[in-house]
Amino acid sequence: MTQTEINKYKAMLEAKQTELSVGLRNREDIAIEKTPDALDEVQLAGERELAIRNLDRDSNMLRNVRGALARIAEGSYGTCLHCEEEIKLKRLDAVRWAKFCIKCQEAADRHEFEVEAGETIDELLANAA
């Protein structure tokens, strides 16, 4: 991978990191609200559950983006963390924070090898500051 390509991916990853960091600071949607109407309570609970799932998805993505930026800094970006083969540019264009080649990602999805645990949302926010 050329330095120009690495710089392109780094800029895109930094923009995504900024976008996700701002979004994770907004936790107003997960506040528990009380209302006298039972149907409103159910609707608010559903909206809160959706907001929590979105927060979880975004925090996982932020963790992956930060991992990709760390790999750029250490010079291992674009190399599969499992088999150490080069990750195809087509895959990196689709999933810029990919840490595995497509074959190893499929194996990880089938739980054929252990994938590292991540940070909590509070740790991610602390690192964003």
Side-chain angles (χ1 to χ4, degrees):
M1 184 178 310
T2 68
Q3 189 61 41
T4 303
E5 290 169 328
I6 291 173
N7 290 339
K8 174 186 85 167
Y9 288 116
K10 183 179 180 182
M12 289 188 282
L13 286 164
E14 287 172 341
K16 188 67 171 176
Q17 178 180 356
T18 301
E19 172 191 329
L20 291 168
S21 294
V22 169
L24 283 174
R25 294 188 190 284
N26 181 11
R27 297 185 187 186
E28 294 170 5
D29 293 337
I30 62 173
I32 297 174
E33 298 178 39
K34 292 291 182 185
T35 179
D37 186 7
L39 290 176
D40 286 343
E41 286 276 338
V42 171
Q43 181 180 358
L44 290 173
E47 291 172 1
R48 187 172 49 254
E49 179 64 29
L50 179 61
I52 290 169
R53 287 183 187 184
N54 288 338
L55 189 63
D56 185 50
R57 181 201 64 224
D58 289 349
S59 66
N60 285 332
M61 189 177 299
L62 180 58
R63 185 179 314 107
N64 289 330
V65 167
R66 286 191 175 149
L69 288 168
R71 290 191 301 281
I72 287 173
E74 68 186 25
S76 64
Y77 180 76
T79 302
C80 178
L81 295 180
H82 186 71
C83 72
E84 298 182 0
E85 294 291 320
E86 187 172 329
I87 300 172
K88 303 225 182 280
L89 291 180
K90 186 175 179 180
R91 174 157 170 72
L92 290 174
D93 285 338
V95 184
R96 292 176 198 98
W97 47 87
K99 51 185 153 185
F100 302 119
C101 67
I102 195 73
K103 286 183 181 180
C104 290
Q105 183 63 58
E106 289 171 351
D109 291 345
R110 291 188 303 269
H111 305 290
E112 292 179 8
F113 63 88
E114 194 66 32
V115 179
E116 66 190 48
E119 301 170 282
T120 66
I121 292 171
D122 291 326
E123 290 170 334
L124 287 168
L125 290 172
N127 292 335

